[in-house]
Amino acid sequence: REIEYRDLRVEGHRTGDFRLSIGTSHYSTDDHRGHIEDVLVDGYHTETTLTASRFAGYDDDHRVNTITLQNVTAAGLPAQPVDLVAEVQHAAGITFQGHPVDNTPEQTTT
């Protein structure tokens, strides 16, 4: 794995438990975009229900790929795949609690 997060505990108000996206902002000074790949989140615990998440690449050349979310608890209970509401664009290989988030390996809905 390129990036690993383990045993995160989240309290209080938040927007989007999992937001991995590539885009533009006032911090962008050029037209170059990268990739988000090989991220593991193992142990994410929130005291409330999960909020809407987003996994979005910039385009087909700048994608979000291979994101694994496991050992997630919400309100003290193990999160179920149905608990994750996610927007998925230009992304593939997203798994939540061992289940695929994207419907096909190369989903690129807009």
Side-chain angles (χ1 to χ4, degrees):
R1 298 268 175 221
E2 295 292 324
I3 299 174
E4 294 183 4
Y5 297 97
R6 295 188 184 273
D7 294 321
L8 301 169
R9 304 210 182 277
V10 179
E11 299 176 356
H13 177 74
R14 66 202 185 280
T15 303
D17 284 286
F18 305 105
R19 287 189 171 275
L20 291 103
S21 63
I22 302 166
T24 59
S25 74
H26 62 278
Y27 299 109
S28 300
T29 59
D30 57 34
D31 292 330
H32 298 285
R33 301 289 170 261
H35 303 84
I36 299 174
E37 295 181 340
D38 297 322
V39 176
L40 168 67
V41 176
D42 184 4
Y44 181 92
H45 315 283
T46 179
E47 58 190 13
T48 62
T49 58
L50 294 175
T51 59
S53 296
R54 183 170 196 249
F55 306 96
Y58 186 74
D59 56 26
D60 280 340
D61 293 325
H62 304 91
R63 299 175 56 82
V64 174
N65 293 314
T66 317
I67 309 300
T68 303
L69 311 168
Q70 62 190 30
N71 297 318
V72 177
T73 62
L77 299 170
Q80 302 300 313
V82 69
D83 296 330
L84 182 72
V85 175
E87 172 189 354
V88 179
Q89 296 178 334
H90 303 293
I94 317 279
T95 59
F96 179 76
Q97 305 289 70
H99 298 272
V101 172
D102 45 359
N103 294 327
T104 64
E106 296 297 322
Q107 179 173 348
T108 58
T109 59
T110 55

